[in-house]
């Protein structure tokens, strides 16, 4: 259920918060069957935890969890961008450039949900261009959990401008210059910087 997933990753529902079926049914105007199916799917993505005697709640990532996820994301995204540079069609390259424009516009608008959605669309194009469904499957699984942290990194002071510059570098390398090595390096830098900011924000929230 896209709406519930978005509510979790944008922190409308906070980590550790209970997800009560009756409340969700009323909020989204759907049946309990639909909500239960959505919760099972989100549990498989690591966004929801089923807690004995409490029921479903928003999953809480530890600092160690986050560090591990960013390590995996950096490796997978670097490989994906490199493969895109080697394998993507001209149409996919043009679409990646177009999606960069949408990311810029979404970040300028300042709406967190739209920023995350624009980056999701960008990565959908990037992953499709790899020609490797396994990388796409694994990275989407990792990103489902790091999306909550991505909101932290995007909201940090000055991060939006750097994000645009970093994604522009990835796009130029992968879709314009078709340079696998530069695309890989650009993606590694982007994820490394995002991780640094997100983990810093996590530490601040733990200390407060």
């Amino acid at each position: 259920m896209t709406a519930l997933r978005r509510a979790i990753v944008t922190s409308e529902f906070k980590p550790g918060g209970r997800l009560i079926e009756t409340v969700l049914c009323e909020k989204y105007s759907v049946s309990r069957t639909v909500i239960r199916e959505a919760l099972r799917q989100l549990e498989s993505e690591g966004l929801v935890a089923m807690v004995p005697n409490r029921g479903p709640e928003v999953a809480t990532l530890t600092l160690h969890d986050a560090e591990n996820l960013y390590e995996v994301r950096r490796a997978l995204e670097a490989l994906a961008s490199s493969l895109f540079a080697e394998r993507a069609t001209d149409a996919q390259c043009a679409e990646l450039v177009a999606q960069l424009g949408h990311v810029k516009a979404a970040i300028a608008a300042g709406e967190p949900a739209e920023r995350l959605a624009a980056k999701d669309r960008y990565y959908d194009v990037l992953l499709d261009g790899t020609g490797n469904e396994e990388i796409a499957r694994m990275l989407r699984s990792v990103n489902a959990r790091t999306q909550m942290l991505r909101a932290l990194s995007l909201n940090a002071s000055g991060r939006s401008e750097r994000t645009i510059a970093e994604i522009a570098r990835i796009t130029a390398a992968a879709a314009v210059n078709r340079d696998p090595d530069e695309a890989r390096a650009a993606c590694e830098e982007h994820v490394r910087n995002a991780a640094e900011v997100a983990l810093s924000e996590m530490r601040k929230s733990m200390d407060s």
Side-chain angles (χ1 to χ4, degrees):
M1 185 181 202
T2 302
L4 181 54
R5 180 185 292 105
R6 186 67 57 198
I8 290 173
V9 301
T10 58
S11 297
E12 180 180 342
F13 295 118
K14 304 295 183 184
R18 293 184 64 195
L19 296 168
I20 301 170
E21 288 184 5
T22 53
V23 173
L24 296 175
C25 288
E26 183 175 350
K27 178 178 177 64
Y28 296 112
S29 300
V30 294
S31 69
R32 282 198 172 194
T33 299
V34 171
I35 291 298
R36 286 172 181 169
E37 183 177 327
L39 290 171
R40 282 194 295 270
Q41 175 61 35
L42 294 174
E43 182 186 17
S44 73
E45 295 177 9
L47 296 177
V48 168
M50 295 297 178
V51 182
N53 302 319
R54 278 180 56 85
E57 63 179 40
V58 179
T60 300
L61 290 178
T62 67
L63 188 61
H64 183 63
D65 291 335
E67 289 170 342
N68 289 344
L69 285 168
Y70 272 112
E71 284 183 355
V72 175
R73 180 184 158 194
R74 184 171 69 246
L76 288 174
E77 284 193 17
L79 178 57
S81 62
S82 177
L83 290 177
F84 184 99
E86 294 176 351
R87 300 175 177 176
T89 65
D90 289 344
Q92 288 169 326
C93 289
E95 181 60 22
L96 195 70
V97 173
Q99 290 301 329
L100 170 63
H102 295 320
V103 171
K104 290 178 177 178
I107 289 176
E111 173 56 44
E114 182 52 35
R115 283 187 291 179
L116 292 172
K119 284 204 73 179
D120 282 347
R121 291 191 294 269
Y122 177 91
Y123 280 109
D124 283 343
V125 176
L126 182 72
L127 292 174
D128 286 343
T130 67
N132 187 315
E133 294 180 359
E134 284 303 305
I135 291 176
R137 180 183 60 80
M138 288 187 288
L139 190 51
R140 286 186 173 115
S141 176
V142 171
N143 277 339
R145 300 181 70 192
T146 59
Q147 276 184 322
M148 291 186 285
L149 304 172
R150 194 188 296 167
L152 285 175
S153 64
L154 283 175
N155 289 331
S157 176
R159 180 59 194 156
S160 293
E161 294 79 6
R162 292 193 296 275
T163 294
I164 291 172
E166 290 161 8
I167 295 177
R169 181 188 171 196
I170 295 168
T171 306
V176 180
N177 299 325
R178 309 302 292 268
D179 184 337
D181 291 336
E182 169 62 10
R184 179 187 294 271
C187 225
E188 286 179 341
E189 178 191 42
H190 173 57
V191 178
R192 188 180 296 111
N193 290 343
E196 182 179 324
V197 173
L199 294 173
S200 176
E201 292 297 313
M202 282 188 74
R203 292 186 185 99
K204 289 178 184 176
S205 66
M206 292 166 62
D207 291 340
S208 60

